[in-house]
Amino acid sequence: QVQLVESGGALVQPGGSLRLSCAASRYTLETAAVGWIHQAPGKEREGVSCISSRDGITYYADSVKGRFTISRDNAKNTVYLQMSNLKPEDTGIYYCAAVGLGWCPSERWDYWGQGTQVTVSS
């Protein structure tokens, strides 16, 4: 069974940094577009970053440009989201999602992880 597992969420102070990981089992992320989707408390989900399968082109929502970086480690079958200069509004659950041979940003995902909690608070 395909699994995407997020990790790395934590409680951090504003201005701090985190690196989220999305590790796949029985699925090759190298062939997939992989996105990170943020759900703030009481709000709808918003795609914040994505990396395409074909050319590696990345996408960032305006709210995270210059602060977040998405990357792949194909040897580890893992996609990362490096989060810097975190703000309280970054608080929420971060999900990774994948779609085979996909482009970013994507409106459709084949697989979702369970999410990891990020809390930015002083």
Side-chain angles (χ1 to χ4, degrees):
Q1 185 176 14
V2 172
Q3 277 195 327
L4 301 179
V5 179
E6 303 95 334
S7 62
L11 170 64
V12 297
Q13 295 185 353
S17 298
L18 288 172
R19 188 178 72 165
L20 307 184
S21 299
C22 175
S25 298
R26 295 174 290 279
Y27 191 77
T28 302
L29 291 181
E30 185 177 5
T31 64
V34 180
W36 286 97
I37 298 92
H38 172 226
Q39 186 169 29
K43 297 184 179 180
E44 64 185 7
R45 295 181 179 182
E46 176 190 20
V48 297
S49 190
C50 184
I51 184 165
S52 296
S53 61
R54 294 178 177 86
D55 55 15
I57 292 293
T58 56
Y59 161 85
Y60 299 96
D62 288 342
S63 60
V64 307
K65 285 181 179 177
R67 300 189 298 120
F68 292 7
T69 302
I70 191 169
S71 63
R72 296 181 186 267
D73 186 335
N74 292 328
K76 296 182 178 180
N77 202 23
T78 299
V79 169
Y80 302 98
L81 185 68
Q82 179 66 50
M83 310 165 72
S84 300
N85 191 25
L86 284 161
K87 303 176 180 180
E89 51 263 43
D90 296 322
T91 291
I93 301 172
Y94 285 79
Y95 302 89
C96 68
V99 57
L101 300 177
W103 291 86
C104 295
S106 181
E107 298 178 354
R108 177 179 175 179
W109 303 103
D110 293 326
Y111 302 103
W112 288 77
Q114 294 299 307
T116 186
Q117 176 70 45
V118 172
T119 303
V120 184
S121 177
S122 60

